Amino acid sequence: MNYNAPHRHAVIELSQSAVVHNLKVIKENTHAKEIMAVLKANAFSHGLPEMASLSITAGATRFGMAMLDEALILRDLGYIQPIDVLGLTDPRYARLAAERNITLAFSTKESIKAAAEQLAGTGLTLKVSLPVDTGLNRIGFKSREDLVAAIQEVSAQDTLIFQSMWTHFATADTPNVDYVDFQISEWQRLTHDLPVEPNEKHFANTGIATWYPEKINTDIVRLGIGLFGINGSVPIMSMPFELIPALSLKAKVVNSKPLKKGDAVGYGAEYHAPNDGYLITIPIGHSDGYPFNGSGMRALVADGQIGHIVGGVAMDQSMIFVTNPVAVGTTVTLIGRVGDQSITMQDLAEHTQSSIVALMNDFAPRLQRIIVS
Ligand SMILES: *Cc1c(COP(=O)(O)O)cnc(C)c1O
């Protein structure tokens, strides 16, 4: 089912120049040879087809996805670049992954064996990656003995290719340098002098690529949030370079009318106009991913006015109080830049006291995605 709504004037605009810029500055900061665009969860809700296209245009050479199903969508879209599934996959799908040339991660010797069994007699080969758990304690090998046994198992199977070994950092976007160092020492302890080396190793997410690029090899950067131009650090750390948000959220006014001082607006009739003015309605609500508690947020009207969301954000519509009349069809920007004014996802996260990553992951499929220059 395609839940896109192209007949409504409510859009996410994705800026090509922003994505090109973000990838370029990360590449320069790390001297990376390759950027893996991590486009999991519908490209952090930005829209997978659009972000895949923008990433390749910007110079990414490969993709990272959370699960096999997401990788299959990219293949169905026609992308032939390497794709890493970064989560664990049931080995019963090894054949499907091999057929579509998708790299799967395994974290036990048993699952590797089971994957090889699925491939026996098919003539197919599967690229295997082995995540190493150096301290995130999420997935991966935690013991050197298990890792060596797994590597031997992969090497013994002629249907499997030992493609990569990698780890993921817990504090890369925090000031906790000690824990970064601890994970690096764990990596060295677990992976020194292995019987067989993989074709490649990768370590860096946006955080490592931004704040700790000199700490560990960053030939391949698994670039997620930074590609979208968002500083996701908690607490917010200053960037050594500028990122540009790729996403703007815009809608066109569908209703416009004068409002008298004291008039109530929205469900519950709790908001009352503080003075005479105008009320405009836009077709974006909390089921589009705009925050439920977004009342009070600024909205940038194309005529230069700065309005405010009032009366609560409804499911599909929101109302904005402005001083001067606004014509139906006028564009309103909820996230993005108009002239010298801007509203960032960080502004929205602060106003609604939520996390910027949660906010950016909330944009609904029904918002139309448009690529702009
Ligand atoms: C999500 C993810 C990334 C991307 O991380 P960002 O911090 O968004 O750049 C990289 N590697 C793995 C294993 C991931 O799960």
Side-chain angles (χ1 to χ4, degrees), residues 13 50 158 178 228 239 244 249 293 305 338:
E13 283 183 2
E50 295 78 11
D158 52 15
D178 289 346
F228 305 95
M239 300 288 300
I244 303 175
L249 180 63
N293 56 347
Q305 290 191 78
V338 176

Side-chain angles (χ1 to χ4, degrees), residues 36 38 40 44 66 86-87 136 138-139 166-168 173 203-207 221-228:
M36 177 194 297
V38 178
K40 56 197 182 188
F44 290 57
L86 298 169
L136 183 62
R138 192 165 69 182
I139 59 167
W166 54 277
T167 197
H168 195 40
D173 53 7
F203 309 92
N205 66 343
T206 299
V221 174
R222 302 191 304 263
L223 186 60
I225 194 164
L227 189 63
F228 305 95

